[in-house]
Amino acid sequence: MSYQDHSASIRQLVGRQNGTWDGIDPEAVARMRLQNRFQTGLDIARYTAAIMRRDMAAYDADPANYTQSLGCWHGFIGQQKMISIKKHFGSTERRYLYLSGWMVAALRSDFGPLPDQSMHEKTSVPALIEELYTFLRQADARELGMMFRDLDHARDSGNALEAQRLLQAVDNHQTHVVPIIADIDAGFGNAEATYLLAKKMIEAGACALQIENQVSDEKQCGHQDGKVTVPHEDFLAKVRACRYAFLELGVEDGIIVTRTDSLGAGLTKQIAVSKAPGDLGDQYNSYLDCEEIDPSTARNGDVILNRDGRLMRPKRLPSNLFQFREGTGADRCVMDCIASLQNGADLLWIETEKPHIEQIASMVDRIREAVPNAKLVYNNSPSFNWTLNFRQQVFDAWAEAGKDVSAYDRARLMSVDYDGTPLADEADERIRTFQKDSAARAGIFHHLITLPTYHTAALSTDNLAREYFGAAGMLGYVRDVQRKELREGIACVKHQNMSGSDIGDDHKEYFAGEAALKAGGAHNTMNQFAA
């Protein structure tokens, strides 16, 4: 409904109350309704799932239509990100939020900073989703509130044309609410635990859940060693649990992102159940590192597989884990991805050890032989040394092409000594176009950086601490923070407005009329920033 439709509807409702509701301003109700467009998390999940489905179709038509997100560990961070996107680009189209389990563990656990091993409270994940959407909805309310004030000013000054323009702007307002791809780790337990947590995350507003094929109680960060995968049937049960959660809650087009850690995971905790040669269990087991044995040499407690009539003993570590053969990671990734897509997943995530387009594409090409529209979510991870990786890629490409690379030491290409050289410049250009190029070549629909705001918070705090506690003193804050906020149009320079003070004043006026004691009067120091 439009602003005027809401106003007219409430005016009729008030008129039917025999004068008892005459203190209710229909336009105020219309404003409050528009400022609270999404009344539940499920409203958000349904709305954002439709956005992602539309964007996925647009990518299938043209890979230039890839999407992006940044990981946000607090509602305010997510809010400021979306406010900045609207300010700089005028639209939130194809720009999402990512919720990183790593950052939840490191920053949002009651236990304090934790490693990325699913040790944090599972309730902290839906709590952060709810928090992010609370802040995004508040950004809508704030922006619309400022438009309503401008509308009142236009009416008071008799500028009917400007008033009409503002009404149209209100009716066409683009929300700050965008899809969140939310990390459910390895499901935090069995399939039932995954289902229960998935419901909480969807009820909080998540339209896309990312789940990985590691063992829940052995889960590791995707960029660390010691990862242990599970057989496909165990993982697919959790994928189905997520789908059931979406369907139960009426989010029929919810998105499931299945992540495989097989490229860097050389261990499994279980041998898969196989019912027929060539089934998923048999394929999983075929990659185990085994040795053929004679039955007479079998040892007490041995696990023995029958492979094509031969008796094979998988190598078992003292930890009771079984080992995969070296060099099978890419093959296992392809198998994982095809199995996921053929069993209800919508998008894939292949965790790699470096950002190399051809490495990713070599696996996606094979996956697309079975599922032609396979698409990836890809982690543009801060765990990668992007500068060194891409300088080495350029070095190797030049060397292969016969170009003279004698001026460069491949082992120390990270050095500042190489900044500004032709090799460094070409590497930076490859980094700049990495997302566009890999979207076109390697099937990457969504690019995200998992932990960027963790690093930016640390960097900006370090810079401020160095200046403020050093010789610059208060100038360190004024010059490097406030002055930049003012000159670059950072919304939260008016921090009272950002925290909702003006919205509160509007409500006071709705509720108490001329008797309202408002905070935003002439003596509010925020007025110093009007210029």
Side-chain angles (χ1 to χ4, degrees):
M1 293 174 67
S2 70
Y3 180 92
Q4 291 175 316
D5 288 340
H6 277 297
S7 298
S9 172
I10 297 300
R11 191 169 292 108
Q12 292 175 5
L13 178 62
V14 169
R16 294 196 295 268
Q17 309 309 313
N18 301 317
T20 60
W21 285 14
D22 285 356
I24 300 296
D25 179 358
E27 280 206 67
V29 177
R31 294 178 179 191
M32 294 172 79
R33 283 185 172 182
L34 291 172
Q35 287 173 303
N36 187 29
R37 174 179 172 181
F38 302 100
Q39 297 183 5
T40 70
L42 286 176
D43 291 338
I44 292 172
R46 295 184 185 110
Y47 169 77
T48 53
I51 290 175
M52 277 196 72
R53 292 289 178 179
R54 181 198 68 203
D55 289 348
M56 289 161 66
Y59 174 83
D60 286 340
D62 182 355
N65 294 318
Y66 63 89
T67 57
Q68 298 169 290
S69 66
L70 296 174
C72 298
W73 55 273
H74 191 279
F76 177 74
I77 300 295
Q79 177 199 66
Q80 293 303 301
K81 170 189 153 183
M82 297 317 301
I83 287 174
S84 296
I85 286 171
K86 287 192 73 174
K87 180 184 78 171
H88 291 297
F89 305 104
S91 171
T92 61
E93 289 291 316
R94 302 200 302 276
R95 298 172 176 106
Y96 306 166
L97 294 179
Y98 178 65
L99 186 153
S100 160
W102 191 102
M103 285 205 285
V104 173
L107 298 170
R108 302 302 301 259
S109 170
D110 286 344
F111 291 98
L114 294 172
D116 183 20
Q117 296 174 349
S118 292
M119 294 190 292
H120 54 277
E121 311 87 340
K122 55 173 83 170
T123 53
S124 60
V125 183
L128 179 53
I129 297 169
E130 183 177 8
E131 177 183 289
L132 284 161
Y133 280 128
T134 296
F135 274 79
L136 295 182
R137 291 163 64 203
Q138 193 262 7
D140 281 356
R142 170 187 167 273
E143 189 171 66
L144 283 164
M146 292 189 294
M147 295 167 74
F148 296 147
R149 288 176 174 229
D150 290 341
L151 174 62
D152 290 340
H153 178 72
R155 286 172 170 175
D156 291 343
S157 62
N159 190 340
L161 189 63
E162 176 63 4
Q164 186 59 36
R165 186 195 70 77
L166 285 163
L167 283 172
Q168 290 178 351
V170 167
D171 289 341
N172 293 310
H173 175 259
Q174 185 183 50
T175 178
H176 295 82
V177 169
V178 297
I180 288 178
I181 297 175
D183 187 359
I184 197 171
D185 278 19
F188 286 87
N190 62 13
E192 177 69 8
T194 302
Y195 155 77
L196 293 171
L197 178 56
K199 279 184 63 177
K200 289 294 185 184
M201 293 169 70
I202 297 162
E203 288 169 339
C207 73
L209 304 179
Q210 169 225 324
I211 186 165
E212 61 202 64
N213 69 336
Q214 291 192 51
V215 176
S216 289
D217 59 350
E218 301 282 354
K219 182 255 189 294
Q220 292 277 14
C221 173
H223 294 281
Q224 293 188 305
D225 207 355
K227 294 185 290 295
V228 181
T229 63
V230 297
H232 294 90
E233 284 305 325
D234 295 44
F235 181 62
L236 295 175
K238 294 184 178 182
V239 173
R240 286 190 289 271
C242 291
R243 182 63 67 201
Y244 272 109
F246 274 123
L247 294 174
E248 177 184 339
L249 296 171
V251 186
E252 296 182 0
D253 52 358
I255 289 93
I256 298 174
V257 183
T258 52
R259 173 176 135 182
T260 173
D261 281 278
S262 289
L263 197 62
L267 303 170
T268 183
K269 196 168 188 176
Q270 299 164 264
I271 292 177
V273 173
S274 174
K275 298 179 180 177
D279 64 12
L280 273 177
D282 189 42
Q283 291 178 61
Y284 188 81
N285 294 339
S286 72
Y287 293 108
L288 290 170
D289 192 358
C290 299
E291 58 182 347
E292 187 172 2
I293 65 166
D294 184 281
S296 63
T297 65
R299 300 188 296 256
N300 185 57
D302 269 353
V303 173
I304 300 174
L305 298 177
N306 182 344
R307 182 175 295 168
D308 299 325
R310 296 181 300 156
L311 296 183
M312 310 293 292
R313 179 166 53 209
K315 292 184 179 177
R316 185 160 56 173
L317 305 181
S319 60
N320 203 31
L321 299 172
F322 296 94
Q323 185 172 296
F324 289 112
R325 296 194 311 277
E326 286 285 337
T328 63
D331 292 338
R332 287 183 283 121
C333 278
V334 171
M335 179 175 64
D336 295 344
C337 291
I338 293 172
S340 290
L341 291 174
Q342 291 178 340
N343 288 274
D346 301 292
L347 294 169
L348 304 171
W349 175 318
I350 300 175
E351 194 78 321
T352 67
E353 82 287 0
K354 59 182 179 292
H356 193 291
I357 293 175
E358 286 306 316
Q359 179 199 33
I360 304 162
S362 67
M363 290 181 279
V364 172
D365 288 345
R366 295 169 61 191
I367 296 164
R368 285 183 163 177
E369 291 175 8
V371 186
N373 69 338
K375 293 180 283 295
L376 296 188
V377 171
Y378 187 70
N379 178 8
N380 293 223
S381 177
S383 293
F384 303 146
N385 185 331
W386 285 78
T387 301
L388 181 60
N389 265 291
F390 276 83
R391 288 182 180 183
Q392 288 181 340
Q393 288 179 39
V394 173
F395 180 97
D396 293 343
W398 283 10
E400 186 177 349
K403 194 169 182 177
D404 182 14
V405 292
S406 60
Y408 303 97
D409 180 351
R410 190 181 187 280
R412 55 182 298 271
L413 287 174
M414 181 66 195
S415 171
V416 68
D417 296 342
Y418 294 119
D419 290 359
T421 63
L423 185 146
D425 290 344
E426 181 172 329
D428 281 355
E429 179 62 14
R430 289 193 184 196
I431 294 171
R432 187 185 72 82
T433 64
F434 173 79
Q435 295 188 339
K436 175 178 69 70
D437 295 341
S438 57
R441 171 68 185 97
I444 299 177
F445 158 72
H446 185 76
H447 284 279
L448 60 89
I449 308 179
T450 43
L451 322 174
T453 54
Y454 177 88
H455 292 278
T456 55
L459 179 62
S460 61
T461 302
D462 179 82
N463 290 337
L464 176 59
R466 180 189 64 225
E467 298 301 315
Y468 176 74
F469 292 105
M474 189 58 193
L475 181 61
Y477 173 77
V478 172
R479 178 193 62 211
D480 297 335
V481 180
Q482 189 181 77
R483 194 175 294 166
K484 287 185 177 181
E485 286 181 305
L486 284 162
R487 291 176 176 173
E488 296 178 21
I490 305 300
C492 74
V493 70
K494 295 185 178 181
H495 48 259
Q496 306 288 14
N497 166 270
M498 185 58 64
S499 70
S501 179
D502 289 343
I503 296 173
D505 274 359
D506 292 338
H507 291 172
K508 290 176 185 177
E509 190 170 8
Y510 300 162
F511 306 154
E514 294 181 358
L517 181 63
K518 297 193 288 186
H523 298 294
N524 187 322
T525 56
M526 287 290 102
N527 294 329
Q528 296 175 37
F529 299 122

